[in-house]
Amino acid sequence: RPNMALVPAGGVVMALGSFALALTLMGMTPGVEVGALGFAATGRGIVTLTEFLVIAIGGGGLIAGIATVLAALRPGARIVGVEPEGSPTLRESLKAGHVVSLPAVTTKVATMACGRSDSLVFDVIRRTVSEVVLVRDEDLERAARWLWFEMGIAADLSGAASVAALMTGAVRAAPGQRVCGLVCGAGPEGVLAA
């Protein structure tokens, strides 16, 4: 296609690309409609209606980019990252106060299997993300199945991470609080895991 470019993205490149996604979620991209789980927001954006986002973490670029925009435009927003128990790269780095290399990565979720984060991404996350929670691979599978069978969304295991964190109680919202769980990866895992 003449107007298409494919750019492999990770780390800082992913963070830069996710700025546009954050602006779209906030309804700040003219003429773009955003849909999530049957809800359509035009103009106001999903993030305008909520200040609590749950986002999967692989290398951290996606959450770093979104969190950078939200910190600038919605300073009170709560942003929670989700990592698999078998690859807690950023959680361990935040605990240590610096980037650490994991001695082993045991998750089977390839898109979330990161043994070490980029230092620039880590610095952004340290300043902008409220917390990082962990979920089991089995929770990711259950969430992917739920997304497929209940919502008709074909999410891969990383795409189901925000839903897994909410379903397991790893992330809790106050009664009546609106939460945006970003489903950020497509794949057949919801059907294949059944």
Side-chain angles (χ1 to χ4, degrees):
R1 298 179 185 182
N3 293 324
M4 184 172 86
L6 299 175
V7 180
V12 176
V13 174
M14 174 64 86
L16 292 171
S18 61
F19 289 170
L21 173 61
L23 292 173
T24 301
L25 285 171
M26 295 182 74
M28 300 181 75
T29 310
V32 175
E33 290 189 15
V34 180
L37 303 183
F39 171 76
T42 306
R44 288 179 60 198
I46 292 171
V47 177
T48 309
L49 302 173
T50 182
E51 293 193 359
F52 184 178
L53 275 86
V54 183
I55 303 170
I57 298 176
L62 176 66
I63 195 169
I66 291 173
T68 297
V69 172
L70 291 178
L73 300 176
R74 299 198 88 60
R78 179 177 175 207
I79 302 161
V80 176
V82 183
E83 288 184 308
E85 286 181 351
S87 184
T89 309
L90 280 162
R91 180 148 167 182
E92 292 302 314
S93 294
L94 290 169
K95 207 184 300 183
H98 58 86
V99 175
V100 299
S101 294
L102 296 177
V105 174
T106 60
T107 183
K108 64 181 174 184
V109 184
T111 53
M112 298 179 85
C114 181
R116 182 179 175 87
S117 294
D118 180 270
S119 60
L120 294 174
V121 168
F122 169 74
D123 288 337
V124 170
I125 289 172
R126 180 173 37 187
R127 289 190 317 269
T128 59
V129 173
S130 305
E131 68 178 309
V132 176
V133 300
L134 303 178
V135 295
R136 298 175 308 136
D137 287 357
E138 297 80 17
D139 299 327
L140 296 166
E141 290 172 347
R142 188 167 56 98
R145 282 193 304 272
W146 182 84
L147 281 166
W148 176 250
F149 289 109
E150 299 298 325
M151 307 306 292
I153 297 173
D156 69 6
L157 298 183
S158 62
S162 63
V163 174
L166 292 162
M167 289 174 77
T168 62
V171 173
R172 295 191 187 277
Q177 186 176 29
R178 294 181 183 188
V179 179
C180 174
L182 184 64
V183 178
C184 60
E189 283 90 343
V191 178
L192 297 178

